[in-house]
Amino acid sequence: MARSPFTLVAAVTAALPGAEVTGARALTSNGDGRFDSAVATLADGRELVIRAASDDAAARELAEESLALRALTAGAREMLPFQVPTHIGETTVGEARALVTDLMPGFQIEAGDIPAGRGAAVSIGEAIAAVHSLPASVVRAAGLTVRDAATVRAEIQQLIDRAAATGRVPARLTARWRDAAADDELWRFETAVTMAGLQAQSFLFEDDPNDGPQVTGVIGWRGLTVSDPAEDLGWLSGARDAADDVFAAYVSASSRAADDALRVRARLHAELEFARWLVHGDELRRPDIVDDAAGLLESLADGLRSDDLRVVAAYTGGVDSALDVLEQTPETAANAIDTSMQTDAYRPEDLWLDEAETGEDDPAASDAEEAGDAEGSEPSATEGTEGTEGEDGTSTEQHGSWEQDTQDLGEISGVRGSTRRAGETGPVPAEPDAPSDIDSAEEAQRAARAALQRWTNSASE
């Protein structure tokens, strides 16, 4: 049973002796059910987030998060162009482990909604490059995991073998992955400090009136390690419009040696999330998870037009994307991120006022409406163009990028709009006692999408 915000914030004083709590409220950013979270308001005006684990796996994640945040010293944080959650303290709520951090402001953007061009895409690329530029001593001094290229490669080979041993991986995928693991060119890279589980929801944005949404905070640090930088870029399979610009901004901002195989390895890491889900289910002896993962793998194999994952293919156009939307693939306990842990749902409508609220007309929308009236019932110029319909009812044209012709595996497997976690096979139902929080989050998301649409339209003029 979920703990109430009042129960949670009562434990804040144990993590921060002397704190005077004057208010409590639930987070309006929806979590996945593995943590109970609340915001505590202190007498000095500060707002803190307390998260209590719901099981042993979640407790381990909180312990990892705590260690990683403490590893990010003041000197390391000065090197980052964005905010990182501050570790306030740890306590227990009943018998459950709890972590207290400061509340991170900002709004989040789903991977598929990140627009191309300047703004969010460029800011994300620069933020990732900044993380990868941190000195490895940050990780080593904290006793966190350090992997070299050979270790990363060996772990990939072991994962492929374990997945293949289940007998549920299509032979085409097994051969594809083993060929990639055997390609020496793919594994000549310089390791970096990574978050090893970075996702679109890791980034918090605030609006800049001139440059559009800018990354002002990054959450989800529990996987802090030294490893393959491509691991933090696999999620871009789901950023159909923005992927090229994020990669370009990342390369431009990076001070590291050129890595010609970066995008190919990122695609490989993205594909192997399915294999991790399969192995996880097999280890737990959960037929439901195994069957689910097997179905995803079959869809992945059917959606690929080429079996190559080679460095040279990245320049010849001979390789299709691994998957359309990594955001919709299952997340194992090893890389899951609970985005309600450090941020509340920021109100983007406070940044971009809707025309209906201000009484002002959108010139671009007015011109489009007048053009539509003049054309009458004439066919649209885009009629016959293949596209995908978004959750807000808009249609998005499929552009010619490296993920152009693959199938939307999230829709095929029926996981759109939900997040699968370890031991779960479907979306976590919302708490019945907090409908206002859910409505607020949905309203904020709609406003964010509307604002991004206006930004995209204005940027193209």
Side-chain angles (χ1 to χ4, degrees):
M1 182 175 182
R3 304 171 182 88
S4 73
F6 297 101
T7 300
L8 291 170
V9 301
V12 168
T13 54
L16 185 62
E20 182 181 350
V21 179
T22 60
R25 60 183 171 84
L27 278 172
T28 55
S29 178
N30 295 328
D32 62 3
R34 296 176 307 124
F35 300 91
D36 293 327
S37 307
V39 178
T41 303
L42 304 186
D44 60 9
R46 285 184 297 167
E47 289 189 311
L48 305 180
V49 175
I50 180 169
R51 292 156 288 157
S54 61
D55 55 35
D56 291 341
R60 286 192 295 272
E61 292 184 24
L62 286 183
E64 293 168 355
E65 183 83 13
S66 173
L67 184 58
L69 292 180
R70 284 179 287 168
L72 293 169
T73 61
R77 290 167 187 257
E78 283 292 326
M79 300 178 65
L80 299 173
F82 49 76
Q83 296 181 13
V84 175
T86 301
H87 178 277
I88 302 298
E90 298 175 67
T91 184
T92 57
V93 178
E95 296 182 355
R97 183 174 194 143
L99 177 64
V100 180
T101 62
D102 58 342
L103 179 66
M104 296 283 290
F107 61 89
Q108 297 163 312
I109 307 175
E110 294 292 332
D113 294 330
I114 300 173
R118 64 192 182 96
V122 172
S123 186
I124 289 173
E126 292 172 346
I128 298 174
V131 173
H132 292 178
S133 295
L134 287 173
S137 58
V138 171
V139 172
R140 291 194 178 97
L144 298 172
T145 304
V146 176
R147 299 180 180 89
D148 58 17
T151 302
V152 173
R153 184 180 189 179
E155 290 179 354
I156 291 293
Q157 292 170 325
Q158 183 182 35
L159 173 62
I160 295 169
D161 290 342
R162 292 175 65 187
T166 66
R168 303 298 299 271
V169 181
R172 179 182 182 184
L173 287 180
T174 302
R176 171 185 175 89
W177 294 340
R178 283 178 171 160
D179 286 346
D183 184 0
D184 292 339
E185 293 296 323
L186 208 60
W187 304 101
R188 295 191 177 111
F189 64 86
E190 179 185 357
T191 58
V193 173
T194 71
M195 294 175 64
L198 197 62
Q199 299 291 332
Q201 294 91 344
S202 302
F203 302 99
L204 304 178
F205 298 87
E206 290 185 6
D207 180 52
D208 183 292
N210 297 317
D211 297 324
Q214 299 293 302
V215 174
T216 56
V218 175
I219 60 176
W221 290 85
R222 73 177 189 84
L224 186 64
T225 184
V226 171
S227 189
D228 182 2
E231 293 178 13
D232 284 345
L233 297 163
W235 66 273
L236 285 169
S237 295
R240 182 188 310 277
D241 296 328
D244 288 341
D245 290 322
V246 173
F247 269 105
Y250 171 82
V251 172
S252 178
S254 178
S255 59
R256 301 162 50 77
D259 183 354
D260 294 339
L262 182 68
R263 293 191 74 160
V264 180
R265 286 200 318 281
R267 184 161 56 247
L268 176 62
H269 286 299
E271 290 185 32
L272 289 173
E273 288 304 305
F274 293 99
R276 289 188 177 90
W277 183 237
L278 174 66
V279 170
H280 175 72
D282 186 63
E283 289 176 342
L284 293 180
R285 297 186 179 181
R286 288 280 300 274
D288 55 334
I289 296 179
V290 171
D291 290 343
D292 179 57
L296 292 169
L297 289 166
E298 289 287 350
S299 298
L300 174 60
D302 292 342
L304 295 172
R305 292 187 304 163
S306 170
D307 292 327
D308 285 340
L309 270 175
R310 296 178 298 173
V311 178
V312 66
Y315 306 101
T316 63
V319 177
D320 298 313
S321 167
L323 43 131
D324 259 2
V325 185
L326 181 61
E327 293 284 313
Q328 297 160 0
T329 67
E331 295 182 1
T332 67
N335 68 353
I337 297 175
D338 181 83
T339 58
S340 72
M341 291 167 60
Q342 292 145 338
T343 179
D344 202 11
Y346 198 72
R347 292 177 58 83
E349 59 267 37
D350 292 339
L351 302 175
W352 292 304
L353 296 180
D354 188 63
E355 294 84 1
E357 298 174 357
T358 62
E360 298 178 1
D361 295 330
D362 185 345
S366 299
D367 293 344
E369 185 175 350
E370 291 175 3
D373 293 340
E375 292 174 2
S377 59
E378 301 241 347
S380 169
T382 59
E383 191 169 272
T385 301
E386 184 178 354
T388 58
E389 186 175 347
E391 294 177 355
D392 57 355
T394 60
S395 179
T396 304
E397 182 180 349
Q398 306 294 314
H399 298 285
S401 63
W402 55 281
E403 54 276 270
Q404 177 176 1
D405 298 315
T406 57
Q407 301 178 32
D408 188 332
L409 302 187
E411 291 181 346
I412 292 173
S413 59
V415 298
R416 177 176 291 279
S418 66
T419 302
R420 285 196 174 101
R421 302 281 182 176
E424 299 176 347
T425 57
V428 177
E431 296 182 22
D433 59 345
S436 60
D437 291 343
I438 296 173
D439 293 343
S440 174
E442 292 178 349
E443 179 183 346
Q445 181 65 12
R446 285 195 299 271
R449 289 187 178 184
L452 284 169
Q453 183 64 40
R454 287 195 292 275
W455 168 257
T456 304
N457 290 339
S458 65
S460 62
E461 292 176 352

